[in-house]
Amino acid sequence: MKIHHLNCGSVRTIDATYDGPAPAPAVNHCLLVEIDRGGLVLVETGLGLGDVRDPEGTLGADWVAMAAPVLDEAETAVRQVARLGYDPADVRHILVTHLDVDHCGGLPDFPDARVHVLADELAAARAEAPSRRYRPSRWAHEPHWVAYDTDAPTRTQAAEDWFGFASYRPYGLPPEFRLVPLGGHTAGHTGIAVHRGDRWLLHCGDAYYYHRELGETKEAHPLLDVVQTSSEVHRDLRLGTQARLRELVREHADEVEVFSAHDPWEFARFSPTAGAASAPQGA
């Protein structure tokens, strides 16, 4: 199984809180996974073609002013998939951590893919859109939703233990993929775990924003923390999720590597050409 780490949407440049890493644009960290059977799997989509071409119409003027996106068509997932030599039509599955405006902008670029999401997240997006958080243009093409009800799982959708977290196997995908609910940021926020052969990768979405939040001495980023706290739906649940992630890093760092959606220094660990100095996990 081959995994590509993609930045699908650079946004505002930020500083680190300590000496070392140079300032860098925050990213939208996505994964493109080539599986043995069944085509390609995209984890998150970042910003899409519609966002680049009509940012205020799709993203909203307030979000554009806050995030200052670069809006480079070359950074969209569909263009990067093609540049890697794949047919975008071969993206059969998309797994999203949640449906915030910057995490699912590329859904319309892959209209035939199955989109895996927690049921609570899909329900919240449908109920609240249009809003600063949820933009109905993302699903105007009526995606092939595959929703997971964590409150009433079926026999074929039962939760399985994953390093002490509940997890769900996405339909139609091999056991190397798991949805790992990480609550607090949105109504149905989930992490996405992918086993790369030697260890697990856990895409934590917006469960945290800055790698030093998972260190033994938690350190928030002053700018990213404003974004994080202003967008949370359940503060205690979000903080509890971060505490459990710190424990996961502390006890299973040799088996699981975690990263969040927007930290550019984490992204640089996987993409040496990203232009930011690498930062150790949890450092």
Side-chain angles (χ1 to χ4, degrees), residues 1 3 194-201 253-257:
M1 186 165 63
I3 302 175
V194 183
H195 198 273
R196 69 179 190 189
D198 58 338
R199 67 196 315 196
W200 287 92
L201 299 177
D254 58 335
E255 300 171 87
V256 182
E257 187 165 11

Side-chain angles (χ1 to χ4, degrees), residues 162-247:
W162 186 85
F163 297 100
F165 292 80
S167 74
Y168 299 84
R169 296 194 186 191
Y171 296 136
L173 288 175
E176 287 84 3
F177 292 86
R178 302 289 178 89
L179 300 178
V180 183
L182 301 174
H185 177 65
T186 62
H189 185 275
T190 185
I192 298 166
V194 183
H195 198 273
R196 69 179 190 189
D198 58 338
R199 67 196 315 196
W200 287 92
L201 299 177
L202 179 62
H203 192 311
C204 296
D206 288 353
Y208 71 98
Y209 276 57
Y210 184 48
H211 58 276
R212 290 172 76 91
E213 290 182 276
L214 297 191
E216 287 298 327
T217 302
K218 177 181 176 180
E219 181 182 341
H221 187 282
L223 176 59
L224 294 177
D225 198 49
V226 171
V227 179
Q228 178 171 223
T229 55
S230 65
S231 59
E232 66 191 5
V233 299
H234 195 302
R235 181 174 179 79
D236 290 344
L237 184 56
R238 180 181 67 80
L239 294 177
T241 291
Q242 289 188 358
R244 295 182 68 200
L245 288 172
R246 278 192 290 277
E247 182 179 355

Side-chain angles (χ1 to χ4, degrees), residues 1-272:
M1 186 165 63
K2 191 171 185 179
I3 302 175
H4 302 272
H5 292 261
L6 313 177
N7 170 21
C8 297
S10 300
V11 292
R12 186 178 298 278
T13 295
I14 56 176
D15 295 308
T17 61
Y18 58 104
D19 293 336
V27 300
N28 277 283
H29 193 158
C30 303
L31 304 178
L32 181 68
V33 186
E34 181 180 356
I35 58 178
D36 294 336
R37 297 180 182 177
L40 303 172
V41 180
L42 189 60
V43 177
E44 303 274 74
T45 74
L47 304 182
L49 291 176
D51 300 319
V52 173
R53 295 168 180 173
D54 180 21
E56 292 196 2
T58 60
L59 296 165
D62 289 345
W63 191 91
V64 170
M66 179 274 295
V70 171
L71 300 173
D72 182 355
E73 187 169 315
E75 287 190 339
T76 62
V78 68
R79 294 292 184 252
Q80 294 193 66
V81 168
R83 196 158 59 246
L84 287 166
Y86 301 112
D87 185 342
D90 288 335
V91 174
R92 309 284 175 78
H93 299 268
I94 298 175
L95 288 72
V96 288
T97 62
H98 59 303
L99 294 171
D100 269 359
V101 63
D102 52 335
H103 290 258
C104 63
L107 289 184
D109 300 331
F110 304 95
D112 296 323
R114 292 185 177 184
V115 182
H116 301 258
V117 63
L118 295 194
D120 285 345
E121 183 67 14
L122 182 57
R126 285 170 165 166
E128 296 176 24
S131 66
R132 184 175 179 180
R133 161 161 268 160
Y134 298 126
R135 308 291 288 185
S137 61
R138 270 74 179 116
W139 49 86
H141 64 290
E142 299 184 354
H144 305 291
W145 297 111
V146 185
Y148 300 81
D149 189 346
T150 59
D151 295 323
T154 65
R155 204 171 99 187
T156 58
Q157 189 184 304
E160 300 179 26
D161 179 77
W162 186 85
F163 297 100
F165 292 80
S167 74
Y168 299 84
R169 296 194 186 191
Y171 296 136
L173 288 175
E176 287 84 3
F177 292 86
R178 302 289 178 89
L179 300 178
V180 183
L182 301 174
H185 177 65
T186 62
H189 185 275
T190 185
I192 298 166
V194 183
H195 198 273
R196 69 179 190 189
D198 58 338
R199 67 196 315 196
W200 287 92
L201 299 177
L202 179 62
H203 192 311
C204 296
D206 288 353
Y208 71 98
Y209 276 57
Y210 184 48
H211 58 276
R212 290 172 76 91
E213 290 182 276
L214 297 191
E216 287 298 327
T217 302
K218 177 181 176 180
E219 181 182 341
H221 187 282
L223 176 59
L224 294 177
D225 198 49
V226 171
V227 179
Q228 178 171 223
T229 55
S230 65
S231 59
E232 66 191 5
V233 299
H234 195 302
R235 181 174 179 79
D236 290 344
L237 184 56
R238 180 181 67 80
L239 294 177
T241 291
Q242 289 188 358
R244 295 182 68 200
L245 288 172
R246 278 192 290 277
E247 182 179 355
L248 178 68
V249 170
R250 184 171 61 249
E251 297 184 0
H252 299 285
D254 58 335
E255 300 171 87
V256 182
E257 187 165 11
V258 307
F259 55 92
S260 59
H262 303 302
D263 186 314
W265 303 289
E266 285 183 327
F267 181 72
R269 292 206 312 262
F270 303 99
S271 179

